[in-house]
Amino acid sequence: MIVPASNLRRRRSSSGWTALRRLAGIVLVVALAWSVYVYHQIAQVAHHDDAQPADAIAVFGAAEYLGRPSPVLHARLDHAVDLYRKQIAPLIITLGGGSDRDSGNTEGAVGRDYLLANGVPFGNIIAETRSTDTEQQVRRLAAIARDNNLHHVVVVSDGTHLFRIRELCSDAGLDVYTSPRPALGHISSYDLAMRYFHEIISYTMVRLHLDESWLHWVEGKEDF
């Protein structure tokens, strides 16, 4: 029996679409499983304060406004001061640069000035003022740790941010303890979901060695 060429083409097309749908289904299941795994890792770190005696406390940068810390940066710095006063570490490192829109201000310098105003001696502060995103801040922190013979560092940031920081620090050879800053008021379910989404995407891109520069516009700029 001779099968018409048109029927053969239809069968091949149908078989191709079936294989494509199966592949898409597999990719979707893998992506969903990965996202659930990363979500739980982020949540576990976000809800656990691992602060303990260390060589330094590192405050990851967030937005500053005309030389004043944003509410988020303010909360991170306050938490660092609290840890410092509890003698968790004798040194505080403030991280974060600035942009052309910041009128010469940097997150690291604003953080340093805030610490000085809250009684931390100048000699107990290191201000890093050139980094523009989390990965750069980790690289600069690793360099500061090497230069100053720092072996253990408590890292301070928002809870949802800390899992990615911890993993990047581990990749850089840093031994860190995570310590989330206190929450500021009520966070809506939507805002919290967006923070988790951002961190899942950012961490996935880090692991895939992809450029996440299109996400950097939200790095550290949250005000909730």
Side-chain angles (χ1 to χ4, degrees):
M1 179 179 178
I2 299 175
V3 179
S6 60
N7 288 351
L8 285 174
R9 285 194 295 270
R10 281 196 294 271
R11 290 179 183 176
R12 288 171 183 167
S13 177
S14 177
S15 177
W17 277 110
T18 298
L20 187 60
R21 285 196 297 269
R22 287 176 179 171
L23 178 60
I26 292 171
V27 170
L28 182 61
V29 169
V30 170
L32 180 60
W34 170 256
S35 296
V36 170
Y37 165 76
V38 176
Y39 171 86
H40 283 292
Q41 294 298 310
I42 293 169
Q44 184 177 36
V45 175
H47 293 100
H48 178 69
D49 192 336
D50 194 34
Q52 54 191 283
D55 299 310
I57 301 161
V59 184
F60 277 70
E64 57 79 24
Y65 303 133
L66 299 176
R68 295 180 178 273
S70 65
V72 166
L73 184 54
H74 196 291
R76 294 180 189 181
L77 292 165
D78 280 345
H79 187 53
V81 170
D82 185 51
L83 294 173
Y84 175 82
R85 288 174 178 168
K86 291 178 179 177
Q87 299 184 338
I88 290 294
L91 179 69
I92 302 179
I93 302 166
T94 57
L95 301 163
S99 68
D100 294 339
R101 296 175 297 178
D102 293 320
S103 303
N105 295 309
T106 63
E107 295 164 7
V110 168
R112 176 198 59 212
D113 294 345
Y114 185 85
L115 294 177
L116 289 170
N118 281 270
V120 181
F122 183 84
N124 291 29
I125 305 170
I126 295 176
E128 183 282 315
T129 60
R130 291 184 289 173
S131 57
T132 59
D133 58 48
T134 299
E135 290 187 63
Q136 288 185 20
Q137 288 180 21
V138 168
R139 287 196 293 269
R140 293 292 300 141
L141 177 59
I144 291 169
R146 287 193 299 269
D147 292 344
N148 292 273
N149 198 31
L150 307 175
H151 301 289
H152 305 284
V153 179
V154 176
V155 290
V156 173
S157 189
D158 296 9
T160 52
H161 193 199
L162 285 172
F163 170 67
R164 179 158 55 106
I165 289 174
R166 188 189 71 181
E167 297 304 295
L168 287 168
C169 286
S170 178
D171 292 345
L174 282 170
D175 187 7
V176 301
Y177 310 124
T178 57
S179 187
R181 57 95 171 163
L184 295 173
H186 174 71
I187 302 175
S188 72
S189 297
Y190 173 79
D191 285 336
L192 187 59
M194 289 304 297
R195 297 194 75 173
Y196 273 96
F197 175 74
H198 172 258
E199 287 301 321
I200 290 169
I201 295 297
S202 295
Y203 180 68
T204 300
M205 296 185 78
V206 166
R207 286 293 161 245
L208 293 175
H209 304 287
L210 298 175
D211 180 14
E212 59 166 329
S213 59
W214 64 281
L215 284 170
H216 289 167
W217 68 279
V218 294
E219 283 283 6
K221 305 302 182 186
E222 304 90 345
D223 284 324
F224 50 82

